[in-house]
Amino acid sequence: MRQRSDQFTLLVREIPLCIEHKAHGCNVEHFFSKYHPRTYHSYQILSDVKELDHLLKKAKSIMGKIEEGRKKFGFLNDKREPLLSYTSQQNAMKIALLEEKLRKYHDIIHNLQVQTAAKHKELPVAFVTFKSRLGAALASQSQHSLNPLMWITELAPEPRDVSWKNLAIPVRLLPIREFGVIVGAFLLTIFFAIPVTAVQGIAKFEKLKKWFPPAMAINMIPGLSSIVTGYLPSAILNGFIYVVPFAMLAMAKLAGCVSRSNEEIKACNMVFYFLVGNVFFLSLLSGSLLDELEEYLTHPRNFPSHLASAVSAQADFFATYILTSGLSGFSLEILQPGLLSWDLLKSCLCCSRKEKEAYLYSLPHARIIPFISLFLLIGMVYAVVAPLLLPFLIGYFCLGYVVYVNQIEDVYATTYDTFGLYWPHIHHYIIIGILLMQVTMIGLFGLKSKPAASISTIPLLLITLYFNEHCKSRFLPTFHCYPIQEAMENDELDEKSDELEVNYETAADAYCLPCLQPPDFLLASVSTSTQQLMRRLLVIGGIYSLLISPKSQFERNINEEINKVQGASKSCHKQV
Amino acid sequence: MRQRSDQFTLLVREIPLCIEHKAHGCNVEHFFSKYHPRTYHSYQILSDVKELDHLLKKAKSIMGKIEEGRKKFGFLNDKREPLLSYTSQQNAMKIALLEEKLRKYHDIIHNLQVQTAAKHKELPVAFVTFKSRLGAALASQSQHSLNPLMWITELAPEPRDVSWKNLAIPVRLLPIREFGVIVGAFLLTIFFAIPVTAVQGIAKFEKLKKWFPPAMAINMIPGLSSIVTGYLPSAILNGFIYVVPFAMLAMAKLAGCVSRSNEEIKACNMVFYFLVGNVFFLSLLSGSLLDELEEYLTHPRNFPSHLASAVSAQADFFATYILTSGLSGFSLEILQPGLLSWDLLKSCLCCSRKEKEAYLYSLPHARIIPFISLFLLIGMVYAVVAPLLLPFLIGYFCLGYVVYVNQIEDVYATTYDTFGLYWPHIHHYIIIGILLMQVTMIGLFGLKSKPAASISTIPLLLITLYFNEHCKSRFLPTFHCYPIQEAMENDELDEKSDELEVNYETAADAYCLPCLQPPDFLLASVSTSTQQLMRRLLVIGGIYSLLISPKSQFERNINEEINKVQGASKSCHKQV
């Protein structure tokens, strides 16, 4: 854990323009070498790379086509000379053309990278690397400018975790985007039940038979129709709920977080509130969430007793829910039906690239943590009302532990470390659970006509709220700070083993924009094998020009193309 | 402003014990010289000084008595020899005895100070001084230990602003104390109306006549009785409200803030909420605040319309209220009747010390700011409902400006700088005013049966709330941070004028506990003039012993006393 580049690096946003040089970059250099002269090392300014990104995508797609072609026509797979038939030569020609195109792109990309590096399109965002963790820790936790809207510093996320696109968003737009996302998530939570009930209404078996006559076949097998009518609504509901985390994640991506981990945490929060609204409250209560919300806003005093009576009535339902979700959820988690069908669909649509897409996904926190937190909440609320529910829950958590230990170790890839940043949010969910439990208790004592007990539970509620506030003010900041003591200890360990310099040099290189890395990888696969192919093509071309006279136009084209390609490759080699 | 000691100094709390030396002090030295080797200068650990404080108070009261006695018997005021009468000699004896007692106290205090300085009673709290503002700013904004409950650092308050007693309170008790204070302030706000109405009920003129027959005299002057019956209730109410800021300040002192400015800010907040509840809402609504609160909790949906109708009905009342409070409040502010009567009372009770107590008070923020904020709130709410109220308000603020510019410049002493720390709170009050205005608008549009306008105001309310949250997260931290840029600039200016060293040396000395300062000031007034007096007394004593034989017991006593005093003064001189 000591070799982390992010411990040496700061993310600095809203860098003002240097009036002298009309650039952001030199201002970073001036600023940090002035205020942190002993620890400042280097900076890496970000640039506007939309165009480059676009070109790189195109180049990559061409590269894909070339490889596809090669595999198809067997230029690379079998080492023997290709058949000198007309079609195979045409194919070779096609590939050569594509490769030439790729070379062109390579040149353009290279030029553009040089231009971008020459600071023409700087963004006011930079990664600043320090010579020690202590320096970075001290600088990250301080306010640098008198104006809190300038020189905003924070510890950089891990290099693999950085969300490069979002860094280009101006900081002043972030609150608006975030507000938009909150409103979107709120609307989704409130109005989610409407399309679900609509689809459930349409998908009734009787209606299905009318609109989709082949469904009558279900009647042929005895018992199947009852299973379909029984399970179809809940299957539809679960299908909708399955999609929600992805929708929330897509929304969170719009909020402009600096790292993917932050996006997932945001999505996780939104999914949790969604589940509390649409699973917990909707299961408890009759009517839509909007009606219930209105009811609570108009008569909040009835809320505890209303909740208590609903909770005690629905104990059986939640026991079943925990059992079924536990068994089905964990088995689905192991089988990964979503990914399986997604990959199947992909491979059917573009079967050739199947091998390339064998990508390991990371643990989908936004899909897993909110559900587990929801069950925790259910457990806490029912701990008072129906303690018999707890053994089911213990079974659920034990099974979950076994399943997820397996999944984390063997199935999912680690694309970034969470560094325990989910804990404050889980703490928050637990507090919400405790508050709901206490409200239920107030209602329950009221229902059992023990007003004294009911009233004396209210201070408990207030103390819980105050405890939450206290934790927020005292402990929450530590989740975003890198303590001086730890930074110094790690620095000392590194100095002992003479690794400090290596580490900060690595850190300085780690935050290079991915699309500014040398584009030679594009030509790597080409150049190793294509020089040979080119020569071969030239020979073939020569033979053709001698053999076939009526195709002179084609021949001329080929020659032109070959010349171009040669010229391009020369210039490319010079530049490289 | 550059010569501020607090810019060089950090307040560190919860210092762990050094295992080797069983002391907190050496741990501070180890810790900061390790993590800030270039900028750390020195530390000043706090000690448990309850006993010392007690002794110092006693010594001071003796000093007061001595001075009183001298003035009374004219030993100092008139330079001529005192009359050698029996009474005057007895008085001289008394003073000499008191002085001897004072010397004893001086010695004890000095010994205790030496003991305290020898680190026997260290508290885990220290002021750490740095060699530069930059070092202090960097260290103050960082988390030092992995455990957020240890090595808690913050920028120190001004030396004259430090609340020394509160620094002795363990940090773990602070949240409990704060919660207690919040609950106390809440209860005071809610139940304030009960004693007021009770007293108002008792103080009715008819009842007064029964219980206090001399009140009948009022009837003699025509018209006076109607004035009394008309103004008595409101005078009682205002009297109660006048006391509230002092009560809140006393409560805030219990919360354990590190500085007196923080105490005042806390009191200011509590008084503002008190006024919003007990002046704004109680004037608007019928019934007690508790009833109203219950009504809102049970039917929150009626709140906007209820508020809107009450607000529009009470426009005249608030216009009058602004006028009367403005005129009477500002004239009372200039006349200072409270302080006047308090001083009068004091001088009547202990008339001799009248001159000593001519103490300049600081601006009572907790009494002034909440009232002005309340008028701002009233203005904002009525800006929609009754804009004709605004001219009155402008008049009020103009008059207030003139009065307070005078008061701040000529009347009140500055005991500490506020450094704009009231601004975030005033911003908060303004936000509350805007929210109330928007709720009133929602209600008003509802009353005018324009539901579309009413509903479309709700997003405005949400956006205001979000704006407040955004300001909190973006701008609030800057009020407690000392920006690196400014620190460096000031350091450079100091270096240019070679003042940096002087400044941090001053800062290191500034945070000495007041009761650990050398106790010689106690003897200063004594020693200058008393050596002479002592010699004179010895002569008188000698004469007496020769002249009057029957008073041998008295004589012996005197001799003993004189010997004691001489011994004490010798040992004292050695130690000094």
Side-chain angles (χ1 to χ4, degrees), chain A residues 172-448:
Chain A
R172 63 179 183 281
L173 289 183
L174 288 183
I176 299 166
R177 276 170 169 259
E178 207 161 312
F179 187 64
V181 168
I182 292 170
V183 169
F186 181 72
L187 292 181
L188 179 60
T189 306
I190 293 291
F191 295 111
F192 173 76
I194 295 171
V196 173
T197 43
V199 171
Q200 280 173 340
I202 292 166
K204 268 177 190 154
F205 189 55
E206 289 74 36
K207 286 190 182 174
L208 263 185
K209 274 195 280 189
K210 258 190 220 163
W211 295 356
F212 185 63
M216 293 282 276
I218 291 167
N219 272 343
M220 312 285 271
I221 304 157
L224 190 62
S225 75
S226 65
I227 290 175
V228 167
T229 48
Y231 277 100
L232 200 59
S234 94
I236 289 169
L237 175 69
N238 280 318
F240 268 92
I241 286 177
Y242 185 83
V243 179
V244 165
F246 299 103
M248 292 291 192
L249 203 59
M251 277 207 273
K253 275 189 200 303
L254 295 176
C257 302
V258 292
S259 62
R260 283 184 287 157
S261 56
N262 276 357
E263 277 167 14
E264 272 208 84
I265 287 173
K266 209 175 267 293
C268 186
N269 273 331
M270 299 194 294
V271 173
F272 175 73
Y273 288 113
F274 172 87
L275 289 181
V276 170
N278 280 300
V279 174
F280 183 70
F281 278 106
L282 266 195
S283 309
L284 285 183
L285 313 159
S286 54
S288 80
L289 204 61
L290 198 66
D291 294 341
E292 288 303 325
L293 209 71
E294 205 183 335
E295 168 71 21
Y296 291 151
L297 283 179
T298 42
H299 304 289
R301 217 184 175 179
N302 303 340
F303 179 61
S305 56
H306 200 158
L307 188 68
S309 60
V311 159
S312 37
Q314 292 285 330
D316 291 343
F317 168 78
F318 276 111
T320 331
Y321 183 73
I322 289 168
L323 267 182
T324 51
S325 313
L327 293 176
S328 68
F330 291 134
S331 53
L332 286 176
E333 175 60 44
I334 291 169
L335 290 173
Q336 299 278 356
L339 280 183
L340 213 67
S341 51
W342 179 244
D343 274 6
L344 210 70
L345 211 79
K346 255 189 181 172
S347 62
C348 286
L349 289 176
C350 43
C351 37
S352 57
R353 283 197 238 165
K354 203 178 154 191
E355 283 152 87
K356 244 185 90 189
E357 297 285 336
Y359 173 66
L360 276 179
Y361 292 93
S362 66
L363 189 73
H365 296 95
R367 200 161 60 73
I368 294 167
I369 290 175
F371 277 95
I372 293 171
S373 309
L374 177 74
F375 285 116
L376 253 180
L377 185 140
I378 292 172
M380 270 185 252
V381 170
Y382 277 99
V384 188
V385 184
L388 277 179
L389 199 105
L390 297 182
F392 292 102
L393 214 66
I394 290 169
Y396 173 86
F397 283 122
C398 290
L399 193 62
Y401 179 75
V402 173
V403 168
Y404 281 111
V405 161
N406 171 63
Q407 298 294 95
I408 289 167
E409 282 190 354
D410 300 333
V411 176
Y412 293 115
T414 311
T415 54
Y416 58 83
D417 260 310
T418 57
F419 297 122
L421 278 178
Y422 278 95
W423 173 240
H425 299 278
I426 290 172
H427 174 264
H428 190 69
Y429 305 154
I430 290 175
I431 291 282
I432 290 175
I434 292 174
L435 287 177
L436 272 179
M437 177 183 82
Q438 288 168 353
V439 170
T440 316
M441 270 166 74
I442 293 172
L444 207 66
F445 289 132
L447 285 182
K448 305 264 177 201

